[in-house]
Amino acid sequence: MQTHDEVFTILRAALIELFELAPEQISLEANLYDDLEIDSIDAVDLIDHIKRQTGKKIAAEEFKAVRTVGDVVEAVLRVVNTPAAN
């Protein structure tokens, strides 16, 4: 199980690495599209990166509702803390 802060740290590092963002641009309140200029193709790359890091995939439908970095953190927490179906 990961904590909110751990997920934010991993996500922040991913945003810096994948999209060459400055660390100070990334806060929980930062809007992915307006503040960080992440487009739909970038979002797919981010979902793929999250899957590689966590071993679990965020559904595209769930990601459509994401607007801020904080929303992504919450979506990741829901996925990684959900027990696997048997």
Side-chain angles (χ1 to χ4, degrees):
M1 183 179 299
Q2 293 181 311
T3 68
H4 190 272
D5 289 341
E6 289 171 335
V7 172
F8 176 69
T9 300
I10 292 166
L11 179 61
R12 187 170 185 250
L15 290 167
I16 292 166
E17 176 188 336
L18 293 172
F19 309 116
E20 300 177 358
L21 297 170
E24 60 272 8
Q25 288 180 276
I26 305 166
S27 68
L28 290 172
E29 298 79 28
N31 185 290
L32 295 173
Y33 310 103
D34 296 333
D35 300 330
L36 304 180
E37 299 179 3
I38 291 177
D39 61 23
S40 58
I41 301 296
D42 294 336
V44 171
D45 290 341
L46 184 58
I47 290 171
D48 186 56
H49 184 83
I50 291 168
K51 181 181 177 186
R52 287 193 312 270
Q53 292 294 313
T54 65
K56 298 189 179 188
K57 184 176 181 186
I58 296 176
E61 308 83 53
E62 184 167 352
F63 209 81
K64 286 180 185 176
V66 167
R67 296 288 173 254
T68 66
V69 172
D71 292 342
V72 178
V73 170
E74 294 302 322
V76 170
L77 283 171
R78 280 192 297 275
V79 170
V80 298
N81 292 329
T82 300
N86 292 330

